[in-house]
Amino acid sequence: MSEIMNMVKETSENGTDLSADDIGTIEEITEDTILSRQTSVNLVPFIGQRFVSQDAAYEFYCSFAKQCGFSIRRHRTRGKDGVGRGITRRDFTCHRGGYPQIKPSEDGKVQRNRKSSRCGCQAYMRIVKRADFDVPEWRITGFSNVHNHELLKSNDDQVLPAYCTMSSDDKSRICMFAKSGMSVRQMLRLMELEKGVKLGCLPFNEIDVRNLLQSFRNVDQDNDVIDLLKMCKDKKDKDPNFRYNFKIDANNRLEHIAWTYGSSVRSFESFGDVVIFDTTHRLDAYDMILGIWLGVDNYGQNCFFGCVLLRDENMQSFCWALKTFLGFMNEKAPETILTDQNMWLKEAVAIEMPRTKHAFCIWHIVSKFSDWFSALLGSQYGQWKAEFHGLYNLHSVDEFELGWREMVDAYGFHGNKHIVSLYALRAFWALPFLRCYFFAGMTSTFQSEAINAFIQRFLSAQSVLENFVEQVAMVIDTKDQATLKQKLIRNRQKVSLKTGSPIESHAATVLTPYAFTKFQEQLVLAPQYASLLVDNNYFIVRHHTEINGGCKVLWVPHDEFISCTCHDFEFSGILCRHVLRVLSTNNCFHIPYQYLPVRWRDSLSYAKPVVDPNSSQHSMLQSMVSSLVSEAMETEERLNFACGQIDLVLTRVKEFPGPSSGVNNSNMTYNNSPPDSLILPEVEDSDSIVQSFTHEALTFGKVKERRSKRKRCSVPCCGQFGHDSNDCPLMEDDINEDGLGFL
């Protein structure tokens, strides 16, 4: 440990193909059961059954298989994590499905034929990812329970590999028991009592526990810590943008360590408005908590901000982690932070980030429902879970309060400690209390799956700390290259317009494909709503099937100000369908620029230049970039090489100092000085008719000049700015037989 103290002094840095098709036959289920009814293990899988995640579907099918006397394994997938839409299909098969494949060895000799349990069993379950009504879910589209082998009895299923598993919670408990001096047999007996299972019915046995403890003993913690600190110091010497900090306890043991990279700091400057601080994973071999800071960029991709290892889980440890993170990010705190439902972390955020809105990740809360309520509710668990989901997604606080009381009365939850705790902390997780704050879509289940997939990529290297840190760096580099490649592909693709609205064309030129897709979803739904003028600037917008209710929209054309009581814009940064309905019915053909947030704009094609855009070097750079994209898209090999080289060039360019005047890149920072002209890209409508817009298609003067000179038209059908009634185009030649102007 003396070497650690020297390090402190040296540094000043703190299978088979299945016959079922991909779509299958889906039975219609009411939206009240939008969450799956997978909690009752007595249910048999059925076509159309819904799950909130892949893991939920796997657990349900695993429980069903265990009852039947077979085990399952994950089989084929469609799509990849972090690429495009991610995984969109998953097949689970019987563990005896398929046939063993004989692979030749390196010297050309055929390996000996080992016995295999696979016999070509065709039993399977297929799930497909859907996103109906903006609710991500997985649906069963194929299922067969026909086996060509004998099934095991219920007492024999523990010998199957799928059920000989040890969860992370079990490993943590065993680690704690070992430190208290308990024997292996005592550990097993205590865990049997805790889980309420019969003697010898745990999913792991004595040998599994001894192997786990031996793996812990094989870790040389002292030397690994020294190697980790040396590696961080060497990395700092080579890369000045690498930042790290650590703390040594009174016994000269490493208590905490945190680190980040130069690319992470730059990403935080642009997309650090919303941060997820995930502390739900552990490095069991070192008995340390793993905390990871993540965000989302303008293309909807997760970006890594930093990582921390904590010895203890208490308020002091979390305070140290948050304070260190703020130091890494030049004391810039996020506007919103999402964490697990941890009371120590809740207090730490209140101390270190008092101006940051703190919320709990809903998927962490929902993941505990099975343990909390499944046994209590029995067959009613699925129905209750759907009702909870409905309450969670409400817009009105009053409706939430009323619905919560009705739910408690209906299910007899009076005095239930979990329900009492959830209600007391409702302002931290229920959307009616959070919609006034910006979350950038980080509350969705899609994001939870992407985050878990991202974290799992480098958790496999946790056996050695030094390898773990290097693995994180490799994952980040791979992720950055994949993201850059995806951006090039998307920017090369034509934008598909679905409505033909000028508002849609305007948004397509400014927003990234990810943000434009979210905007387009709202725009397509807008015509289903009726806009009723109540006052000069006050509208009620409700669905055409509704008689009462609706959202209140305030629209002040003179100031280009608009707001809606649904608060979707404040919550996601994307205008809601209610606002878009009011804009379209009031002859507004472009979106005010303050409602196109910088954090969702396409920085590659829509950025305010600091250098003169008419200079010869600027024109030459644009020509080179255009040629590069055209040439790189010819083959996959070219594209991969170009992405790797561009990533290196961008890293070098960003090392140069920026403009002298600071730029605030928070999520709701608006560019009130749009460029003098916008070039609309080539877009393709829903009928595949290509529309090419030239430089003259849409021209804007600077906002300040326009506002100082603009006049409001007094023609009732127009009401637009920039001209008066004498120059109004509606009053010229475009008059029909009834004397009404065409818009």
Side-chain angles (χ1 to χ4, degrees):
M1 283 288 100
S2 59
E3 296 188 43
I4 296 183
M5 298 306 298
N6 293 333
M7 293 291 298
V8 177
K9 296 178 181 179
E10 290 178 8
T11 180
S12 60
E13 287 290 331
N14 290 322
T16 57
D17 294 334
L18 302 175
S19 59
D21 57 20
D22 295 347
I23 300 177
T25 303
I26 298 178
E27 301 175 0
E28 289 299 326
I29 302 175
T30 60
E31 291 305 319
D32 292 338
T33 59
I34 196 78
L35 296 179
S36 72
R37 293 177 286 183
Q38 71 269 29
T39 53
S40 176
V41 297
N42 294 321
L43 288 178
V44 177
F46 58 90
I47 301 298
Q49 187 173 357
R50 308 179 184 191
F51 303 88
V52 296
S53 66
Q54 293 184 63
D55 293 336
Y58 177 82
E59 291 175 3
F60 170 75
Y61 192 39
C62 192
S63 299
F64 169 78
K66 190 174 183 180
Q67 284 188 333
C68 295
F70 68 98
S71 68
I72 63 173
R73 58 184 173 87
R74 292 177 172 89
H75 190 43
R76 298 185 308 174
T77 63
R78 172 171 293 178
K80 296 181 179 179
D81 284 330
V83 179
R85 295 181 299 161
I87 295 178
T88 58
R89 195 190 74 183
R90 166 75 74 177
D91 289 347
F92 304 111
T93 63
C94 175
H95 74 290
R96 301 193 67 177
Y99 296 95
Q101 297 180 358
I102 301 177
K103 298 180 180 180
S105 59
E106 296 180 357
D107 55 2
K109 296 181 180 180
V110 179
Q111 296 179 348
R112 64 188 180 91
N113 186 17
R114 298 178 178 178
K115 291 184 178 180
S116 173
S117 64
R118 298 193 179 188
C119 59
C121 181
Q122 294 293 318
Y124 78 100
M125 185 180 81
R126 171 173 296 167
I127 57 174
V128 174
K129 196 175 190 178
R130 303 291 175 92
D132 293 345
F133 304 102
D134 298 329
V135 179
E137 62 185 10
W138 292 80
R139 295 184 183 181
I140 296 180
T141 60
F143 171 68
S144 173
N145 198 33
V146 179
H147 300 264
N148 62 354
H149 56 88
E150 293 185 1
L151 301 178
L152 297 178
K153 297 180 180 179
S154 59
N155 296 331
D156 300 331
D157 55 14
Q158 294 184 27
V159 301
L160 297 175
Y163 308 128
C164 298
T165 58
M166 189 180 300
S167 66
S168 58
D169 292 337
D170 292 334
K171 293 179 181 179
S172 299
R173 298 285 290 173
I174 292 172
C175 181
M176 183 183 68
F177 293 155
K179 288 194 289 185
S180 65
M182 295 177 61
S183 66
V184 174
R185 293 185 179 180
Q186 288 174 332
M187 296 178 193
L188 292 173
R189 183 55 183 157
L190 181 57
M191 297 186 75
E192 288 169 350
L193 294 174
E194 290 179 341
K195 294 178 178 291
V197 299
K198 297 180 181 179
L199 186 65
C201 291
L202 287 172
F204 47 87
N205 54 32
E206 183 176 340
I207 296 178
D208 297 326
V209 176
R210 293 188 184 279
N211 289 338
L212 177 66
L213 295 176
Q214 185 61 40
S215 67
F216 290 164
R217 297 188 186 102
N218 291 336
V219 174
D220 189 352
Q221 296 191 7
D222 292 343
N223 289 333
D224 283 353
V225 168
I226 294 173
D227 292 340
L228 173 62
L229 295 179
K230 287 182 178 179
M231 188 276 297
C232 288
K233 186 176 183 302
D234 294 341
K235 197 171 186 66
K236 176 67 177 177
D237 294 338
K238 296 177 182 179
D239 181 11
N241 294 320
F242 177 79
R243 303 179 183 184
Y244 74 102
N245 193 5
F246 60 92
K247 181 180 179 181
I248 304 299
D249 63 12
N251 298 320
N252 292 336
R253 296 173 67 244
L254 179 65
E255 188 172 3
H256 314 307
I257 184 170
W259 68 92
T260 188
Y261 308 89
S263 59
S264 300
V265 176
R266 291 190 294 270
S267 295
F268 185 84
E269 292 176 355
S270 300
F271 309 111
D273 41 22
V274 182
V275 173
I276 287 183
F277 185 29
D278 190 303
T279 58
T280 58
H281 298 82
R282 296 182 65 92
L283 299 187
D284 292 316
Y286 297 89
D287 192 23
M288 300 186 78
I289 299 170
L290 171 64
I292 301 176
W293 289 279
L294 297 169
V296 62
D297 64 10
N298 54 342
Y299 278 79
Q301 300 293 317
N302 291 121
C303 42
F304 176 88
F305 293 146
C307 197
V308 64
L309 292 173
L310 304 173
R311 178 70 62 184
D312 302 313
E313 186 176 4
N314 52 41
M315 189 183 70
Q316 291 76 17
S317 298
F318 288 130
C319 282
W320 182 91
L322 294 174
K323 187 174 182 179
T324 302
F325 178 73
L326 290 177
F328 289 163
M329 303 305 167
N330 305 315
E331 302 301 327
K332 177 185 176 182
E335 295 185 11
T336 308
I337 187 169
L338 286 156
T339 70
D340 187 19
Q341 187 180 351
N342 187 304
M343 293 302 102
W344 288 318
L345 187 53
K346 174 177 174 292
E347 296 297 328
V349 171
I351 294 173
E352 300 298 334
M353 300 179 177
R355 298 183 179 179
T356 298
K357 176 58 181 176
H358 183 200
F360 296 150
C361 297
I362 188 61
W363 57 82
H364 289 158
I365 297 176
V366 173
S367 65
K368 304 172 185 177
F369 282 178
S370 179
D371 295 333
W372 290 353
F373 304 114
S374 61
L376 178 64
L377 295 174
S379 59
Q380 291 183 306
Y381 175 72
Q383 179 182 353
W384 170 83
K385 198 173 180 182
E387 291 184 18
F388 177 88
H389 182 79
L391 290 174
Y392 167 75
N393 279 293
L394 288 174
H395 284 77
S396 170
V397 173
D398 294 336
E399 292 180 359
F400 175 86
E401 297 286 354
L402 177 60
W404 187 270
R405 288 193 295 269
E406 293 177 349
M407 180 197 70
V408 172
D409 293 337
Y411 293 93
F413 277 146
H414 301 281
N416 183 284
K417 63 178 182 179
H418 301 301
I419 292 294
V420 171
S421 176
L422 285 173
Y423 183 74
L425 298 171
R426 61 193 182 282
F428 286 86
W429 58 265
L431 291 188
F433 298 90
L434 302 177
R435 292 190 184 276
C436 293
Y437 302 92
F438 183 70
F439 282 87
M442 297 289 278
T443 58
S444 68
T445 307
F446 282 151
Q447 285 295 339
S448 70
E449 293 179 357
I451 290 171
N452 287 331
F454 182 80
I455 295 175
Q456 291 298 329
R457 294 184 185 182
F458 52 77
L459 275 180
S460 59
Q462 61 175 298
S463 57
V464 181
L465 281 179
E466 183 180 1
N467 291 347
F468 178 73
V469 177
E470 289 293 342
Q471 183 75 3
V472 173
M474 292 176 59
V475 169
I476 295 173
D477 292 340
T478 304
K479 180 73 173 177
D480 290 343
Q481 292 185 14
T483 301
L484 181 59
K485 178 180 177 180
Q486 188 174 5
K487 289 180 180 179
L488 289 176
I489 293 175
R490 287 186 176 182
N491 287 332
R492 185 69 175 175
Q493 293 174 344
K494 297 176 182 178
V495 180
S496 176
L497 299 183
K498 297 181 179 180
T499 67
S501 168
I503 292 180
E504 185 181 21
S505 301
H506 181 204
T509 64
V510 180
L511 301 176
T512 61
Y514 170 80
F516 176 70
T517 299
K518 300 296 182 182
F519 173 87
Q520 198 174 50
E521 291 173 358
Q522 298 296 317
L523 185 63
V524 170
L525 294 174
Q528 300 180 15
Y529 289 76
S531 174
L532 309 175
L533 179 62
V534 178
D535 200 350
N536 291 335
N537 302 315
Y538 178 50
F539 298 83
I540 293 291
V541 182
R542 64 171 67 103
H543 196 266
H544 69 92
T545 60
E546 298 176 350
I547 300 177
N548 299 316
C551 294
K552 302 173 183 178
V553 177
L554 179 64
W555 167 228
V556 185
H558 180 75
D559 299 326
E560 292 191 333
F561 172 82
I562 193 166
S563 66
C564 181
T565 55
C566 74
H567 299 296
D568 276 2
F569 177 73
E570 291 83 354
F571 185 69
S572 65
I574 303 296
L575 286 177
C576 64
R577 62 198 72 174
H578 315 108
V579 165
L580 295 175
R581 180 58 175 169
V582 171
L583 292 178
S584 61
T585 55
N586 285 272
N587 303 322
C588 184
F589 301 113
H590 78 281
I591 303 172
Y593 282 89
Q594 60 267 34
Y595 299 104
L596 295 171
V598 172
R599 79 107 60 223
W600 291 133
R601 295 184 186 181
D602 192 345
S603 58
L604 297 179
S605 63
Y606 192 80
K608 183 180 178 180
V610 177
V611 183
D612 182 11
N614 297 320
S615 64
S616 58
Q617 288 183 320
H618 184 271
S619 301
M620 181 176 65
L621 178 61
Q622 284 186 324
S623 177
M624 293 172 63
V625 170
S626 178
S627 300
L628 174 64
V629 173
S630 299
E631 293 293 335
M633 295 297 294
E634 294 293 331
T635 64
E636 185 74 15
E637 184 179 3
R638 286 187 176 189
L639 182 60
N640 293 333
F641 176 79
C643 290
Q645 295 299 313
I646 291 174
D647 185 54
L648 296 176
V649 172
L650 284 176
T651 302
R652 294 293 304 274
V653 169
K654 291 178 180 178
E655 293 176 356
F656 289 91
S660 57
S661 59
V663 179
N664 185 3
N665 289 322
S666 62
N667 67 291
M668 303 308 286
T669 299
Y670 309 119
N671 183 1
N672 289 327
S673 299
D676 292 337
S677 63
L678 291 175
I679 302 177
L680 297 181
E682 187 174 346
V683 296
E684 183 177 0
D685 61 15
S686 57
D687 296 326
S688 301
I689 301 176
V690 178
Q691 305 172 0
S692 298
F693 295 88
T694 60
H695 183 277
E696 294 80 15
L698 188 60
T699 303
F700 296 90
K702 293 184 178 179
V703 167
K704 293 183 179 179
E705 296 178 0
R706 183 180 62 182
R707 287 187 174 179
S708 62
K709 298 180 180 180
R710 63 182 179 178
K711 296 174 290 185
R712 185 172 183 175
C713 179
S714 59
V715 178
C717 296
C718 180
Q720 298 299 299
F721 295 96
H723 64 272
D724 56 18
S725 58
N726 296 327
D727 300 324
C728 181
L730 299 181
M731 300 300 294
E732 296 178 355
D733 298 330
D734 295 333
I735 305 295
N736 63 6
E737 296 177 357
D738 297 326
L740 300 177
F742 295 107
L743 296 181

